[in-house]
Amino acid sequence: MDLLFYHLRLRCFVIVELKIEDFRPEFAGKMNFYLSAVDAQLRHDSDAPSIGIILCKGKNEVIVEYALRDSTKPMGVAEYRLSAALPEPLQRELPTEAEFAREFPLMALVKLRIEVEREIRLLVADQTEAERPLALGPMLTELQRLGLAPQTADRLRKALQTMNRAAHGLDVESADASEATEVATAFLAELRAIRDNGSS
């Protein structure tokens, strides 16, 4: 199913199925399956029966009527409309293109930092039973102690300042972010190669 909600006032689950084409009778059968599964697996005795909504590009009223005529489960079919522009209230709430462009490299850098930390934890866990250090700096020291630090470890220590600033939501120069991304990507590749060699 595409979307599953719980309606607090109606006290029931609501399933929404999104279709990029006109309604076809088989959509009703699929929705009937989803409703049965949700009612059997999630619905409590005090909940009302689940409701299904099929959102389609278009619909023929006669086909919809025949498809739903004998169904005992509450479901409906509706058409969606695409808008070329966002409504004004939504435009004010969403980030501008410039804001998104400025923030995206930082999000990618934070994600890369998390991947580096995860790989180091896995490598250290493979080598020792001791409790692993929590911070990334001490984990790099532990890698060096074990003789497993990639060649780019010293460069990563310098890039770590930029990565930590990004992780804490502080401003980072785009050149620094690019350099840190390059260093962390190279370090991650070396780290994975070391793990692969160790496991083979």
Side-chain angles (χ1 to χ4, degrees):
M1 68 187 75
D2 293 318
L3 300 167
L4 177 64
F5 301 99
Y6 187 84
H7 197 294
L8 292 174
R9 286 191 181 173
L10 296 178
R11 310 297 296 176
C12 70
F13 287 98
V14 179
I15 300 166
V16 179
E17 186 75 359
L18 306 171
K19 299 294 183 184
I20 60 171
E21 56 191 308
D22 290 347
F23 177 80
R24 296 201 315 244
E26 52 265 35
F27 296 167
K30 195 171 187 182
M31 177 59 77
N32 191 65
F33 169 79
Y34 292 148
L35 289 168
S36 295
V38 168
D39 281 345
Q41 300 291 323
L42 303 175
R43 181 179 163 215
H44 293 262
D45 293 337
S46 59
D47 290 337
S50 300
I51 297 171
I53 301 170
I54 304 169
L55 283 178
C56 300
K57 180 181 175 184
K59 64 177 182 174
N60 179 304
E61 297 291 343
V62 175
I63 293 175
V64 170
E65 182 183 343
Y66 283 126
L68 302 183
R69 177 177 285 180
D70 296 325
S71 175
T72 58
K73 299 190 181 300
M75 71 174 86
V77 178
E79 292 180 45
Y80 59 79
R81 287 182 291 134
L82 297 177
S83 174
L86 285 171
E88 185 61 35
L90 283 179
Q91 286 181 9
R92 288 194 300 268
E93 296 296 324
L94 295 173
T96 65
E97 188 176 339
E99 290 170 333
F100 188 76
R102 188 181 73 239
E103 293 296 326
F104 183 75
L106 299 185
M107 290 187 288
L109 192 56
V110 171
K111 180 179 180 292
L112 192 55
R113 185 192 184 284
I114 291 168
E115 287 180 43
V116 166
E117 189 169 339
R118 181 180 297 126
E119 285 295 324
I120 292 175
R121 286 182 192 278
L122 291 171
L123 187 56
V124 171
D126 289 345
Q127 300 298 319
T128 178
E129 294 295 322
E131 186 176 332
R132 295 164 294 182
L134 296 178
L136 193 48
M139 284 197 288
L140 280 171
T141 302
E142 180 69 6
L143 274 185
Q144 288 175 323
R145 187 188 70 77
L146 293 168
L148 298 171
Q151 293 178 352
T152 51
D154 290 333
R155 290 182 64 206
L156 183 74
R157 282 188 187 277
K158 293 176 184 174
L160 195 53
Q161 292 178 344
T162 302
M163 297 168 82
N164 287 340
R165 286 184 63 82
H168 289 94
L170 301 173
D171 287 336
V172 174
E173 295 292 326
S174 59
D176 292 340
S178 296
E179 183 181 350
T181 299
E182 180 184 324
V183 170
T185 302
F187 179 87
L188 195 57
E190 286 186 69
L191 207 59
R192 287 176 173 155
I194 290 170
R195 280 195 69 219
D196 291 343
N197 290 338
S199 61
S200 59

